[in-house]
Amino acid sequence: MMDTIGADAPFPNLRGGDSVLVIGGTGMLAPAVGDLLAAGLRVVLVSRRASGFAAAQHPLLVAVDADWADPGFAVKVMAAIDPDTLRVVILWVHSPYRDSVSIALHSALPQSVRFVRLGGSGGGDPRQAAVTAAPLPGRKVGEVFLGSLMDSHGVRRWLSHREISDGTLAALRGVASRTVIGDFRAGNGL
């Protein structure tokens, strides 16, 4: 199990007034969103039900209700952000929309904005999907690969929301281009 680091550790290259765009952050990334807000960062949170998110009334949070499948998704997102203060995009977007959302935002945002993309292991080893993912030339991209862990009874389990959030924030804090949380053993039942 990972240590819980939350908002206590600093975010290098981010300071108050900087913005982070989190797409798909109302579920398993909810603890990460809370930690970013607690660190004094502005968060633009995009999901189908972002306005119903528990922290939607936080003064540093902008909640945007939008669906990846909507052809106007990128336009709606771009209308909600300030590209001059945006430093990072955290993407938890499933196939078949992952590449189209990544490319649309990559094309619209300054090259200085770093991307952190998450990939789950529900459909197999997410590292393989990253190999075939659309490239984002000239951009710093961190990939976070979500696996499973062994519990105290020797049974494989999914990662908790806290573990996923901590791994994502560790990728945001670090310079590593790939972060693996858990493992991807074949036949793990997940």
Side-chain angles (χ1 to χ4, degrees):
M1 184 179 299
M2 297 181 57
D3 291 330
T4 318
I5 51 177
D8 296 339
F11 292 99
N13 303 316
L14 295 175
R15 61 191 191 310
D18 286 346
S19 297
V20 177
L21 172 61
V22 181
I23 298 178
T26 57
M28 64 186 208
L29 288 175
V33 169
D35 293 345
L36 293 166
L37 292 169
L41 298 168
R42 293 188 326 203
V43 175
V44 177
L45 176 65
V46 181
S47 78
R48 286 176 293 192
R49 293 175 287 283
S51 60
F53 184 62
Q57 301 307 312
H58 193 287
L60 294 175
L61 186 121
V62 175
V64 179
D65 294 330
D67 190 322
W68 314 320
D70 179 353
F73 179 82
V75 171
K76 198 170 197 180
V77 170
M78 291 304 297
I81 64 168
D82 175 0
D84 294 332
T85 65
L86 187 66
R87 302 293 176 254
V88 178
V89 175
I90 299 173
L91 293 153
W92 173 236
V93 178
H94 302 282
S95 293
Y97 303 103
R98 185 178 195 238
D99 280 351
S100 61
V101 169
S102 292
I103 291 167
L105 293 175
H106 169 68
S107 299
L109 293 171
Q111 285 291 99
S112 59
V113 176
R114 181 174 178 217
F115 280 42
V116 176
R117 298 190 295 193
L118 283 75
S121 60
D125 189 335
R127 296 171 294 188
Q128 295 305 314
V131 170
T132 60
L136 305 177
R139 184 171 308 280
K140 289 183 181 178
V141 179
E143 300 281 358
V144 178
F145 305 114
L146 308 175
S148 61
L149 293 173
M150 195 73 71
D151 71 12
S152 60
H153 303 291
V155 176
R156 300 223 58 81
R157 66 167 179 82
W158 290 117
L159 300 166
S160 70
H161 290 186
R162 182 79 257 173
E163 290 165 335
I164 292 166
S165 289
D166 283 349
T168 301
L169 295 178
L172 178 61
R173 287 179 175 102
V175 294
S177 61
R178 292 177 167 230
T179 302
V180 176
I181 309 170
D183 62 50
F184 315 104
R185 296 179 194 173
N188 65 11
L190 297 179

